[in-house]
Amino acid sequence: MRFLQRTCCFYTCLCLLGLCLLGTSTLAEEATLHGSIIDVETGTALPARLYIEATDGKLYHARSASPDGSAVEYNNQRSPTSVEVHTTLSAHPFAAKLPRGKYKVTAERGKEYFSAATDVDLTNGDAEVTLKLRRWIDTSKRHWYSGETHVHRSMDELPNAMLADDLNVALPLTHWVTQAYLPPTQGDKNSPEVAAKLIEIDPTHVIYPLNTEYEIFAVDGKRHTLGAIFALNHKTVFTKGVPPVTPIAEQAHREGALLELDKHNWPWSMMLVPIMDVDLYELTNNHVWRTEFFFKGFGEPPASFMNVARDRNGMTERGWLRFTFQNYYTLLNCGFRLRPTAGTASGVHPVPLGFGRVYVHLPDGFSYDAWMDGLDAGHSFVTTGPMLDVFVNTQRGGATLKYNNGQTAELKIWGWTESEYPLPRIEVVSMGSSVALDVTNTKTARGLFRNKIDTTAEFAQSGWIAVRCFEQLPNGRFRFAHSSPVYIDIAGKPYRPRKQHVNYLIERVKKELERHAGVLPEAALEEYRKALSIYEKIAETAR
């Protein structure tokens, strides 16, 4: 018996020793990266978004090294090449325990700083790094403030993520319904309950939490996709489901909310525009990411006149962007003056918060109410990278220039673009047609590229005009910015859209009417008939 006890004790000691040695071996195979992210000009710590990539492509997270700090890990992947793995950090030191080896460490902060990257070798043990971010533009000094209107991040994460990417306004969709007729009070994807009260992170970074997404994938428990629509900035929780959508539109507008068309090629989108009096159009939407483009075959197809680029897998990223633009221009040409906005659906897709964002011009300084009013007025531009400021005569985007019958509108289009990388193209867009401008890409002392916009145009009939630009990245990807339109109203000379443009809208609605027969209730079908009637009326004067 004593022999057995001694034997058991002996083997127990061996096992414990083995575990200790294993733990020591594991620790020996790891090293700690210590780091900080600072403003190169002031030396102060900055909140930022951090990427840690090993030589084998594996991605890692960091943690805050301060008891007062915070770190939010983000992991989202749609394909082997469409991946977003980062950590957003507060303005404190960070640390990361990593397998020994070599890494590339990159810090980014929103759109207004050059990224900072360095190689780190942890082969022989711990290392320390300081990433120095340098601002290339300060839009707030020019009275521009950024926001995003399609957000799926949790309320706990948003303060950290917004400061890390310097996003001034976020409108998280805290009520989210995916079933027809289900009210947001019973939303199947709702966040925890929130009050209709502004949350101030600091004086220029705010969250308005009561926003709703109807994203309908099923009717009566069966798969039957309708699409998505957002109500932003409403004051009470909606108690009705959709369809029909008219009661929601009426309540939203009564409460001072804005209605946002998510993606233009959801099945129901072209019905929503005239029926709900939609306010906002996502010119950069949740299929536009920092990582590789993924959704090559999503939704309703583009019309042939849009000339959308494709490859063997479907729409290219440039093709998707052109489809987005051309659909917007078609609606503008038919008299629907939707204001541009930007959304990423960060929290659902592999994309940082605010990768696509909308800047609103606030000449009297920042406030949430002023920002929402400016967004609604179209005093804005959207961007995934470059910055622009455009005037038509003396007016920025959203303005309407009025002329008497018989007058010719003589316009001066002027302003500037600034970007981290050179712009291969700057274009003036009018009624969907574009004209390329001269590009100089003058490099400034701060290292950014600047272009001057200075051209003229004449209008003999009503219309609209805007400016867009494209930025070429070293890795072959591209980014863009697009101004809000300025409208030209000449009395007695309305713009007559092309028949093929109006027919595209008509066919979109007709297709849905046929698909929904016997599925949707009569009140919902009547909304499609009404939309069809509106488009057919426009077609009567089309050319």
Side-chain angles (χ1 to χ4, degrees):
M1 188 69 176
R2 287 181 181 176
F3 174 77
L4 288 174
Q5 288 176 335
R6 288 172 182 168
T7 302
C8 290
C9 183
F10 174 74
Y11 281 112
T12 300
C13 291
L14 281 179
C15 289
L16 289 172
L17 178 61
L19 288 172
C20 289
L21 290 172
L22 179 62
T24 303
S25 174
T26 302
L27 289 172
E29 292 172 359
E30 291 183 333
T32 300
L33 171 65
H34 302 275
S36 58
I37 303 170
I38 65 170
D39 185 303
V40 70
E41 294 179 342
T42 66
T44 57
L46 286 174
R49 177 169 23 93
L50 185 74
Y51 297 86
I52 303 174
E53 183 176 6
T55 52
D56 63 0
K58 191 171 182 180
L59 300 164
Y60 294 87
H61 291 291
R63 59 179 173 81
S64 179
S66 168
D68 298 322
S70 64
V72 173
E73 296 182 0
Y74 193 80
N75 297 277
N76 198 294
Q77 180 172 346
R78 285 284 177 172
S79 76
T81 57
S82 298
V83 181
E84 183 65 36
V85 177
H86 67 251
T87 309
T88 47
L89 295 161
S90 60
H92 298 88
F94 66 86
K97 187 164 284 188
L98 304 166
R100 294 197 178 212
K102 295 181 179 180
Y103 297 85
K104 182 178 182 180
V105 184
T106 304
E108 298 182 1
R109 186 168 195 248
K111 299 298 178 189
E112 302 181 25
Y113 287 80
F114 291 106
S115 61
T118 189
D119 294 324
V120 177
D121 191 347
L122 298 179
T123 304
N124 297 318
D126 297 354
E128 188 167 349
V129 64
T130 299
L131 295 162
K132 299 178 180 180
L133 291 173
R134 183 160 56 90
R135 184 185 281 278
W136 61 268
I137 190 171
D138 188 344
T139 59
S140 66
K141 289 184 177 178
R142 305 179 191 188
H143 307 289
W144 290 98
Y145 294 88
S146 65
E148 192 198 326
T149 57
H150 187 177
V151 177
H152 283 297
R153 302 297 291 271
S154 73
M155 296 299 295
D156 291 338
E157 293 178 350
L158 270 176
N160 167 287
M162 288 177 68
L163 293 178
D165 269 301
D166 196 20
L167 187 72
N168 299 112
V169 178
L171 295 148
L173 295 158
T174 53
H175 288 77
W176 187 3
V177 176
T178 65
Q179 306 288 324
Y181 319 127
L182 189 69
T185 48
Q186 303 169 33
D188 51 322
K189 289 196 173 184
N190 283 357
S191 302
E193 284 300 315
V194 295
K197 183 179 180 181
L198 190 69
I199 298 169
E200 185 177 290
I201 303 169
D202 65 29
T204 58
H205 296 87
V206 299
I207 304 165
Y208 185 80
L210 188 51
N211 312 286
T212 296
E213 176 172 4
Y214 292 93
E215 186 180 29
I216 308 304
F217 290 110
V219 177
D220 294 327
K222 297 178 181 178
R223 184 78 176 187
H224 190 84
T225 298
L226 303 181
I229 185 75
F230 309 153
L232 307 174
N233 190 51
H234 52 94
K235 305 304 182 287
T236 63
V237 178
F238 295 155
T239 58
K240 295 180 180 178
V242 297
V245 297
T246 301
I248 298 303
E250 292 172 348
Q251 181 178 352
H253 285 139
R254 277 198 310 270
E255 295 188 10
L258 299 179
L259 293 172
E260 176 176 331
L261 196 69
D262 173 29
K263 286 178 288 295
H264 55 283
N265 68 333
W266 282 113
W268 71 354
S269 291
M270 294 305 100
M271 176 276 291
L272 297 179
V273 172
I275 297 304
M276 297 190 81
D277 189 18
V278 174
D279 303 290
L280 304 174
Y281 183 104
E282 285 190 12
L283 267 182
T284 178
N285 52 48
N286 65 342
H287 289 184
V288 180
W289 304 335
R290 180 183 182 273
T291 188
E292 294 292 329
F293 181 64
F294 175 75
F295 288 103
K296 296 176 178 289
F298 173 85
E300 297 300 301
S304 58
F305 73 82
M306 296 177 178
N307 297 316
V308 169
R310 298 176 180 273
D311 59 22
R312 59 187 178 86
N313 297 314
M315 267 185 289
T316 64
E317 185 173 28
R318 289 183 184 273
W320 171 250
L321 190 62
R322 182 172 176 83
F323 185 12
T324 303
F325 287 177
Q326 289 296 322
N327 205 121
Y328 182 54
Y329 303 156
T330 296
L331 290 168
L332 292 178
N333 290 347
C334 290
F336 300 100
R337 295 185 174 183
L338 288 82
R339 285 74 77 197
T341 190
T344 64
S346 181
V348 173
H349 289 312
V351 60
L353 179 71
F355 173 75
R357 58 183 63 190
V358 56
Y359 278 86
V360 176
H361 191 254
L362 304 178
D364 298 322
F366 179 81
S367 75
Y368 172 71
D369 289 341
W371 193 89
M372 289 299 294
D373 288 344
L375 179 68
D376 186 28
H379 301 327
S380 59
F381 70 90
V382 301
T383 184
T384 60
M387 302 292 171
L388 57 77
D389 197 359
V390 177
F391 294 82
V392 178
N393 293 347
T394 61
Q395 301 296 312
R396 286 188 171 93
T400 299
L401 306 179
K402 295 187 176 183
Y403 297 84
N404 295 325
N405 193 356
Q407 279 188 298
T408 296
E410 297 182 353
L411 308 176
K412 177 179 175 63
I413 302 99
W414 60 281
W416 53 263
T417 68
E418 290 182 350
S419 55
E420 186 174 355
Y421 299 103
L423 303 183
R425 288 185 71 84
I426 303 172
E427 299 170 340
V428 173
V429 188
S430 177
M431 281 76 77
S433 298
S434 62
V435 175
L437 303 180
D438 291 336
V439 176
T440 59
N441 285 313
T442 303
K443 194 168 186 178
T444 71
R446 296 190 67 82
L448 60 92
F449 293 90
R450 185 177 177 89
N451 285 280
K452 183 180 179 181
I453 298 168
D454 188 5
T455 190
T456 59
E458 289 188 353
F459 279 60
Q461 62 178 343
S462 299
W464 57 269
I465 196 164
V467 173
R468 66 190 186 194
C469 63
F470 300 89
E471 179 182 29
Q472 189 70 48
L473 274 60
N475 63 3
R477 301 287 300 287
F478 72 96
R479 295 180 183 172
F480 76 93
H482 198 301
S483 74
S484 184
V486 170
Y487 299 97
I488 296 90
D489 282 356
I490 301 177
K493 294 287 185 179
Y495 179 74
R496 295 172 58 204
R498 294 185 179 276
K499 287 184 179 179
Q500 63 179 344
H501 295 180
V502 190
N503 286 340
Y504 164 72
L505 302 176
I506 288 172
E507 292 306 314
R508 285 279 302 268
V509 176
K510 280 184 175 180
K511 179 181 177 181
E512 289 306 291
L513 254 176
E514 182 178 341
R515 189 170 71 93
H516 298 323
V519 178
L520 298 186
E522 181 60 26
L525 294 176
E526 185 57 31
E527 291 180 329
Y528 284 89
R529 295 188 192 105
K530 184 178 178 181
L532 181 59
S533 176
I534 291 169
Y535 289 139
E536 288 175 338
K537 184 69 175 176
I538 295 170
E540 291 176 5
T541 57
R543 55 193 170 93

